[in-house]
Amino acid sequence: MPLGLDGNSDPIQTTERDAVLCAGADRVCAHDQDRVVVWTDGRSAAGKSTFADELAGTLRERGRIVLRF
């Protein structure tokens, strides 16, 4: 899995961060479609890549097939 732009392979874990990842994964898993596209947007160096990597991991843990671009 690619690292975030900051190269941090082990971001700080907090209950708030876990809650956001779980909420995002819940929303994706709530869709019955074969494919769901998730777009992460924001300012440079805001943590978009790191968040997308972590969300992809959370979805994989739930048994979803994930393509991360």
Side-chain angles (χ1 to χ4, degrees):
M1 184 178 314
L3 300 176
L5 292 176
D6 61 0
N8 187 357
S9 62
D10 190 25
I12 297 170
Q13 296 262 205
T14 63
T15 55
E16 293 84 1
R17 186 181 195 95
D18 291 341
V20 169
L21 289 168
C22 284
D26 288 346
R27 293 199 61 177
V28 171
C29 291
H31 291 277
D32 292 333
Q33 292 89 356
D34 290 336
R35 296 180 187 140
V36 177
V37 177
V38 178
W39 190 277
T40 305
D41 191 19
R43 295 179 152 224
S44 295
K48 300 176 299 294
S49 296
T50 302
F51 174 75
D53 291 342
E54 291 182 56
L55 181 59
T58 302
L59 290 167
R60 285 186 185 105
E61 289 172 1
R62 294 184 181 200
R64 299 292 290 230
I65 297 171
V66 177
L67 299 176
R68 170 78 175 86
F69 296 99

